[in-house]
Amino acid sequence: MDVSTNTNLHGFETYDVSKIAKRDIEDREELVKRIRDTFRLTKDSFEKIPEQAFEVCGCYEKYHITTKMPESVFGDSFGYAMQDDIYNRMKDYYAGKMSDGELKQYFNDCCADMRIYRAQKHQSSGNEDADNMQIVSQIYEIFAKQNVRAASNANYEEGAAVDASYGDEYIGNNWAYYNAKYYYQCEDVKKFLGDTANEVAEKWGIGTVDTQKIEENSKYTLDGRFDFNSVWNFHYRNQSGNASIADEGTQPPKDLRFFYKGGINNTAKMDVWMGEHKKRIAIPFYDLGESLKGQIYNADGLMKDFYEKSDRAKEYSDFMKQVFVFTIRYAKESGIINRFGNLVPETY
């Protein structure tokens, strides 16, 4: 990401704020017109205009409110474009293409962009505390949601590479992968975003952003909440239909990974990494006709003879007791594929 003194994080030219600061008060009207005329909204991009330009010359007062603030600041083409851009930037972050400092600056830019845009739409004066709190809160909400989606995507891409190493006797899409690294990174980044949101709120003088309340009342929960495990469950329990974490609040050991792969005629295997130790486990699925017995296993029960390799056996076991792997037939006929949240499946 190239960011110069004349280019913002979105790749658009910005104004030299030092020059704006030197403008005489009589030039304010001209500056407002210049900013309005310069702002051009496109379907897939949004242009940054520096928030400092308004703070220096007090131009927010020139934006008279003619309509109310929308329920969501992301409910129009500008907001949709910003949502997409936030997701792409979060993916870049998890790919190591974006630093903490760049992520923080980008969060600040999005808040400033949205504040200016809503003022130019005459939905806010730009100086209303309630409006500005709505902007920061809803931008945090989108960042936090795109954070967990990006973490899930990074986990999936890593799992796809493991999947590619398996032979043709195994079904292509019937796999599940879990790397605890992404669980903890997702949590750390969410806290970082919350701290950044409150730094913006403090700078704007609007109080404290209640991130917990935002997450608890969010509408963006169809694909899981704001934690890694619930989004993981949505993907592998509700979409792929082959694995589930019973208690989504359970923390994994930090160096744990596992990869489950289903195959033809009930053949299946699971690779498990406990730090430097790895084991491939054969999963003894079997078919008893109408019964679903033999179509689901608790991962902990499959690993008993592997725990002795670690002095942290209880830590690994406590998490793997929450993990269940099963066939697609089990997922469909048991109905687990349509169940959300914490759930201990019927093992028969």
Side-chain angles (χ1 to χ4, degrees):
M1 181 180 303
D2 295 326
V3 182
S4 71
T5 56
N6 296 318
T7 305
N8 73 353
L9 291 175
H10 309 304
F12 294 97
E13 285 191 2
T14 61
Y15 299 107
D16 188 332
V17 177
S18 64
K19 291 181 180 180
I20 293 174
K22 296 177 183 179
R23 284 181 178 268
D24 188 87
I25 190 171
E26 296 177 355
D27 292 331
R28 290 182 178 179
E29 291 295 338
E30 179 185 350
L31 180 58
V32 172
K33 184 177 185 301
R34 179 185 176 192
I35 292 174
R36 282 178 173 170
D37 291 343
T38 302
F39 190 93
R40 293 290 183 269
L41 176 65
T42 62
K43 184 176 181 180
D44 59 356
S45 65
F46 44 92
E47 183 170 0
K48 166 132 176 75
I49 303 168
E51 174 194 4
Q52 294 95 324
F54 291 89
E55 292 179 341
V56 169
C57 67
C59 294
Y60 276 126
E61 65 190 34
K62 302 300 182 182
Y63 287 102
H64 301 293
I65 301 172
T66 58
T67 60
K68 293 181 179 180
M69 281 282 284
E71 181 178 350
S72 171
V73 296
F74 288 94
D76 57 16
S77 58
F78 183 85
Y80 300 148
M82 184 179 279
Q83 283 192 64
D84 291 343
D85 197 59
I86 291 171
Y87 178 60
N88 290 331
R89 298 303 181 95
M90 292 308 305
K91 287 199 300 182
D92 285 347
Y93 180 85
Y94 276 89
K97 299 177 182 178
M98 195 176 193
S99 69
D100 288 352
E102 287 173 323
L103 179 59
K104 177 178 287 191
Q105 182 59 55
Y106 177 59
F107 187 101
N108 276 263
D109 286 348
C110 286
C111 290
D113 287 345
M114 188 61 76
R115 182 181 182 183
I116 294 167
Y117 176 71
R118 292 301 158 194
Q120 291 187 326
K121 295 288 286 183
H122 300 281
Q123 297 166 341
S124 174
S125 70
N127 283 323
E128 298 293 329
D129 287 356
D131 296 347
N132 291 336
M133 178 58 78
Q134 179 186 350
I135 288 168
V136 179
S137 297
Q138 292 184 348
I139 284 178
Y140 166 77
E141 182 181 22
I142 293 298
F143 264 88
K145 187 61 191 188
Q146 302 297 37
N147 167 54
V148 72
R149 287 170 175 163
S152 178
N153 178 74
N155 180 82
Y156 177 86
E157 293 295 335
E158 195 170 284
V162 178
D163 178 54
S165 69
Y166 273 67
D168 294 337
E169 72 271 22
Y170 291 90
I171 300 172
N173 292 323
N174 187 22
W175 58 268
Y177 179 73
Y178 189 100
N179 188 340
K181 173 181 73 174
Y182 296 113
Y183 171 94
Y184 287 100
Q185 186 177 10
C186 183
E187 289 296 302
D188 289 344
V189 174
K190 184 173 70 169
K191 183 180 184 305
F192 176 79
L193 293 171
D195 291 343
T196 301
N198 274 299
E199 288 176 11
V200 175
E202 182 179 3
K203 181 176 67 175
W204 288 4
I206 57 175
T208 302
V209 179
D210 190 339
T211 57
Q212 183 175 350
K213 184 177 180 180
I214 291 169
E215 294 169 26
E216 289 175 351
N217 293 281
S218 177
K219 64 181 180 181
Y220 301 108
T221 57
L222 291 178
D223 61 341
R225 297 182 299 279
F226 290 76
D227 63 290
F228 182 79
N229 285 349
S230 66
V231 174
W232 190 92
N233 261 349
F234 175 78
H235 183 84
Y236 292 110
R237 181 203 292 173
N238 305 122
Q239 292 189 310
S240 298
N242 49 36
S244 176
I245 297 173
D247 183 351
E248 295 175 343
T250 304
Q251 292 185 328
K254 290 186 176 181
D255 57 357
L256 174 71
R257 289 191 292 150
F258 68 84
F259 178 84
Y260 157 74
K261 180 74 172 180
I264 301 172
N265 296 323
N266 287 317
T267 60
K269 293 183 179 181
M270 184 168 68
D271 289 340
V272 182
W273 294 262
M274 296 189 311
E276 298 299 319
H277 302 292
K278 177 186 176 183
K279 182 179 181 63
R280 176 164 289 185
I281 302 167
I283 302 177
F285 287 130
Y286 58 90
D287 194 335
L288 292 179
E290 293 184 2
S291 172
L292 290 178
K293 187 176 182 179
Q295 296 285 296
I296 180 172
Y297 283 92
N298 177 249
D300 182 59
L302 298 169
M303 293 180 59
K304 293 299 185 184
D305 63 346
F306 188 32
Y307 290 135
E308 63 188 27
K309 295 181 179 294
S310 173
D311 57 2
R312 295 160 53 208
K314 184 178 186 303
E315 183 183 355
Y316 292 114
S317 178
D318 284 347
F319 182 75
M320 296 306 279
K321 285 176 181 177
Q322 303 297 325
V323 177
F324 293 82
V325 293
F326 38 84
T327 63
I328 293 177
R329 178 194 163 198
Y330 176 89
K332 293 179 178 179
E333 294 186 17
S334 69
I336 193 174
I337 201 168
N338 297 315
R339 300 286 298 277
F340 301 87
N342 292 342
L343 173 68
V344 178
E346 177 62 61
T347 54
Y348 301 95

